[in-house]
Amino acid sequence: MRLLIMGAPGAGKGTQAGLIKDAFPIAHISTGDMFRKAIAMQTPMGKVAKTYIDKGDLVPDEVTIELVRERLQEEDCKNGFLLDGFPRTVEQAVALDNILKDLNIKLDAVLNIAVDDKYLIDRITGRRVCLSCGASYHVVANKPKVEGKCDSCGGDLIQRPDDSEETIKNRLAVYYQKTKPVLDYYVKQELVKDVPGVGNIDEIFANIKKVLGEI
Ligand code: AP5
Ligand code: MG
């Protein structure tokens, strides 16, 4: 299966991607997680990415596209992949089409997690993420079993620096301006499967599994 998962910041892409990768043998590729890892390791690319991410702006296309091009050629993508947070601009979507053409493969579906804006600020400000594996939790809706520790790997949970209320407003504005058109791009290719993203996390995942069973 070759999938994209799309949705506004805080829609639950990472949360559902974690469940999907546990249920299906496909690689979870989150460009946000890749940038956060590069920032933590203080690589040259991480230092560039940080200047954009901290403001809630997008990292330039040329950086992001090359990162994904290389990642998609790794061994674990042979069984399929789930791209989370990429593409985020129409230019990235066109580049992805070209990368997939070169690899002689096609996308099977684009999952669109639909959540009304009014829920997003609370989800993002209440989020805690694992420093080691990137798993997402929420201080009310999705608590870890042990406070401050990741259920999956035991890593420390932190608040993302770009999860401040000020930065979130810009991230949402950027989503509507640059990323919403990407959804229309895939609607035209008849790949989009809408999944309601409000309610219980397991019920949303059950809906996703149903959709994936039909593709
Ligand atoms: P990225 O890491 O992709 O962030 P995002 O798109 O803003 O999305 P989030 O990770 O904030 O939200 P999510 O949908 O994954 O929600 P989650 O599951 O965590 O990107 C970060 C930055 O990197 C970008 O701003 C940009 O600068 C850069 N970047 C990344 N990719 C790029 C690209 N392609 N091009 C250029 N720049 C790029 O859930 C959110 C919270 O809600 C959690 O607390 C969770 O526990 C909770 N929650 C989840 N589901 C539910 C539910 N059903 N009910 C209640 N709470 C829930
Ligand atoms: Mg995420």
Side-chain angles (χ1 to χ4, degrees), residues 108-113 190-195 211 214-215:
D108 295 305
V110 175
L111 299 170
N112 177 42
I113 312 288
E190 298 182 5
L191 283 169
V192 175
K193 310 281 177 195
D194 287 307
V195 182
V211 165
E214 288 162 4
I215 59 170

Side-chain angles (χ1 to χ4, degrees), residues 25-186:
I26 59 176
H28 172 208
I29 304 173
S30 157
T31 41
D33 286 351
M34 290 166 88
F35 286 135
R36 282 184 285 278
K37 218 166 256 172
I39 291 170
M41 289 167 67
Q42 300 190 357
T43 67
M45 192 264 279
K47 285 180 188 162
V48 171
K50 184 171 165 43
T51 62
Y52 295 92
I53 293 176
D54 283 355
K55 289 185 279 183
D57 290 332
L58 295 183
V59 178
D61 283 345
E62 55 273 21
V63 176
T64 313
I65 289 166
E66 283 319 303
L67 186 71
V68 172
R69 185 194 305 279
E70 283 174 24
R71 181 67 185 87
L72 283 174
Q73 292 177 58
E74 286 178 27
E75 191 58 34
D76 64 335
C77 294
K78 297 244 154 71
N79 285 333
F81 55 78
L82 171 64
L83 273 168
D84 161 4
F86 182 94
R88 258 181 151 94
T89 63
V90 170
E91 290 73 15
Q92 290 180 13
V94 172
L96 178 63
D97 275 350
N98 288 328
I99 295 169
L100 296 179
K101 211 191 247 167
D102 289 346
L103 296 172
N104 209 11
I105 53 182
K106 280 192 171 155
L107 289 176
D108 295 305
V110 175
L111 299 170
N112 177 42
I113 312 288
V115 175
D116 196 282
D117 279 6
K118 69 181 180 203
Y119 298 101
L120 299 175
I121 305 263
D122 169 69
R123 283 194 186 186
I124 294 177
T125 52
R127 170 167 50 195
R128 298 295 178 271
V129 292
C130 176
L131 256 183
S132 307
C133 74
S136 276
Y137 297 86
H138 189 275
V139 290
V140 178
N142 185 20
K143 290 184 185 176
K145 291 191 182 98
V146 178
E147 204 187 319
K149 295 284 173 197
C150 176
D151 290 353
S152 325
C153 75
D156 289 328
L157 302 185
I158 55 140
Q159 188 160 22
R160 268 171 44 180
D162 62 338
D163 278 354
S164 69
E165 223 171 307
E166 200 46 49
T167 311
I168 294 162
K169 285 188 190 134
N170 188 40
R171 282 164 59 195
L172 272 174
V174 168
Y175 171 76
Y176 281 108
Q177 195 197 344
K178 307 232 169 105
T179 308
K180 209 63 199 306
V182 176
L183 203 56
D184 303 332
Y185 180 89
Y186 289 117

